[in-house]
Each structure stands twice: as C-alpha cells, then as structure tokens.
Amino acid sequence: QVQLVESGGGLVQPGGSLRLSCAASGSIFTINRMGWYRQAPGKQRELVAAIFSGGSTNYADSVKGRFAIFRDNAKNTVYLQMNSLKPEDTAVYYCNADVVGTMPLREYNYWGQGTQVTVSS
C-alpha cells in the first residue's frame, strides 16, 4: 500500500506565496507521474501541474508563470511552489501519483487527502 501525505496549505494574502509538499511512502518501486490538482467549491477538480519521471512538466494555463512543480526522487516527494497567488487560486489542493509498487510490480494511481489553500486579504 502507498500513502500520499500533503502539507503546506494555509491562508495567504493576494500576491503572496506558498509551497505545497507531498511525500509518498509505502511499498514503492518507482513513481512515474506526480501531479497537483485542485477543487474549488462548486467546481470540478482540475489539473494544476504535473511532472514526469524524466522531469518534463505541464501546467494549467491559469498558473503558467506563477506556479512551479518539481520533485525529489530520492525522497519520493513532489512540491508545488505557488507565487503571485490570486483569490481564484483558493481551493483544496490534492496530490496525485502513478506509483509502481513492489509487490506486484504494477502501476496504481493514488490521491492524497487534500490541503486547503485560501487566498484572501
């Protein structure tokens, strides 16, 4: 079994910054894709950013130039650096990962429990 644990959410003023972290633990052989999604009240969950094992990334248009995703493969951890935050970035942010477990060697998709980010003055 694999667990994803997020941290780093909170309340921040518009224009401020936050860094989210998501650490994967358990019976892990390798992690392919890692990503961050968000869900605002009354809206569907949407992809914010993703990073693949080779380092390539993609971002939602709404966060390009403001957010950066990066990972530490040795720690099985993915980060989301969020700068120039706007009130419309307010949402619950979820970590997501495609993890190949050790027994069996098969890829499964996992979600974290979510962390609240609120951007407000």
Side-chain angles (χ1 to χ4, degrees), residues 6 11 28 30 42 45-46 50 54 56-57 61 74 93 99 110 119:
E6 300 124 333
L11 173 65
I28 298 170
T30 191
R45 190 173 297 188
E46 62 175 359
S56 61
T57 59
D61 288 343
Y93 284 70
V99 180
Y110 293 92
V119 184

Side-chain angles (χ1 to χ4, degrees), residues 9-18 82 85-87 90 117-121:
L11 173 65
V12 64
Q13 292 187 342
S17 298
L18 280 176
M82 303 185 293
L85 282 161
K86 304 176 181 180
T90 295
V117 172
T118 302
V119 184
S120 175
S121 54

Side-chain angles (χ1 to χ4, degrees), residues 21-61:
S21 301
C22 171
S25 62
S27 301
I28 298 170
F29 177 73
T30 191
I31 302 177
N32 294 325
R33 177 183 176 277
M34 303 186 82
W36 289 94
Y37 290 72
R38 67 186 180 187
Q39 188 166 20
K43 294 188 177 181
Q44 289 188 330
R45 190 173 297 188
E46 62 175 359
L47 174 68
V48 177
I51 184 167
F52 296 83
S53 57
S56 61
T57 59
N58 58 28
Y59 295 90
D61 288 343

